[in-house]
Amino acid sequence: MSPSNTRTPRRSPRRSPRRSPRWRSARFLETRAALLFISPWIIGFVVFTAWPVINSAYLSLTDYDVINDPNYVGFDNYVQLFEDPKVGLALWNTFVFAVLSVPTHLVVALGLALLLNSASKATGFFRTAFFLPKMTPPVAIGILLLLLFNGQDGLINAFLGVFGIDGPAWTTDPNWVKPALVLMNLWTVGSSVVIILAALRGVPQELYDSALVDGAGWWKRLLRITVPMISPTLFFLFIVDSINALQSFTEAYTAFFGAGNTTYSNDAALFYAIYLFQQAFEFLHMGYASALAWLLFIVIMAITAVQIVVTRRYVHYEGGNP
């Protein structure tokens, strides 16, 4: 046979080895075990989160007073939202409170975390001391607000009087109600302090050493090294605190809308969640309250999306921006 007639045998394409049934069985057992372990969370999410959300979407299209069966009314509840002046007032109060509260909360938390980070002794004690007020029930904080910020004999005005300052009527003057709530909100700043402190401990010391060699002062090191390096943590707290501020309820309700409370200026403290609660559980307008809840959900989602888009360029990640 001549060499020209000799053909090189074709190689069959490489096939990936088939996985054995034993391997598939092991993978199935691992998946089943994982689902079994997370099943309590799945059941809790479906029963206590997913189903109430779906049901509230249906109730928002009905006239429902808990006693009688829901009566389908279409989008009448959503039309009423734009005609109800209390909705605009509650949204405005909530936005003002959020704008005042979130930056103040972050700045104070960052300052306290920087002090703790620079302390060489008793850091654990102060970390615990700052966090303990977070364990205070919100109802107690609302009552404490009335005791501290009472315009006549409150401790805050008594302290200001030592320096000859005539303190304002924190709980009766509409212009000072929200600042009083913002200051009282600092009572629970300890959780943010602990989170920021953990982020500060992760900043490489080499960066500070290099900055010191270059002659950078404390303020420049803070702005050029500390804040950029912990910006993901600040961004996380900014988003979470904003959502919490938009849902503020317990402290303001306890202080200004408690049973038989007709002394203090309620309109200035009428937050959106409080108005939603009143419609649902005081007036039994469950359908309208469900529409209010969905409006709040949309507003929070929109504000969060804007925050993510606007602040993403200022957040520094070690592995690069996502």
Side-chain angles (χ1 to χ4, degrees), residues 277-310:
F277 176 85
Q278 290 176 337
Q279 291 294 326
F281 299 103
E282 293 183 10
F283 308 135
L284 298 182
H285 298 159
M286 286 293 178
Y288 187 54
S290 298
L292 287 169
W294 273 97
L295 176 61
L296 179 61
F297 173 76
I298 294 172
V299 168
I300 290 177
M301 289 291 292
I303 292 177
T304 304
V306 171
Q307 289 174 330
I308 292 175
V309 172
V310 172

Side-chain angles (χ1 to χ4, degrees), residues 242-304:
S242 298
I243 294 174
N244 290 335
L246 293 173
Q247 299 180 89
S248 295
F249 170 77
T250 309
E251 295 88 345
Y253 184 83
T254 303
F256 298 98
F257 297 90
N261 187 356
T262 58
T263 304
Y264 301 103
S265 177
N266 293 345
D267 284 346
L270 182 64
F271 293 156
Y272 192 88
I274 295 176
Y275 187 60
L276 192 158
F277 176 85
Q278 290 176 337
Q279 291 294 326
F281 299 103
E282 293 183 10
F283 308 135
L284 298 182
H285 298 159
M286 286 293 178
Y288 187 54
S290 298
L292 287 169
W294 273 97
L295 176 61
L296 179 61
F297 173 76
I298 294 172
V299 168
I300 290 177
M301 289 291 292
I303 292 177
T304 304

Side-chain angles (χ1 to χ4, degrees), residues 7 20 41 156 185 187 274:
R7 294 182 179 178
S20 63
W41 180 87
I156 299 298
N185 191 48
W187 180 265
I274 295 176

Side-chain angles (χ1 to χ4, degrees), residues 138-156:
V139 174
I141 296 177
I143 297 174
L144 188 62
L145 183 146
L146 297 179
L147 296 176
L148 293 177
F149 289 90
N150 187 287
Q152 297 178 352
D153 54 2
L155 294 179
I156 299 298

Side-chain angles (χ1 to χ4, degrees), residues 10 37-38 54 88 101 163 203 241 247 251 259 271 283:
R10 287 185 181 178
F37 277 111
I38 66 174
I54 296 172
S101 175
F163 302 95
V203 179
D241 289 345
Q247 299 180 89
E251 295 88 345
F271 293 156
F283 308 135

Side-chain angles (χ1 to χ4, degrees), residues 24 63 77 158 201 214 286:
R24 291 198 299 268
D63 181 13
N77 289 326
R201 296 293 173 87
D214 294 338
M286 286 293 178

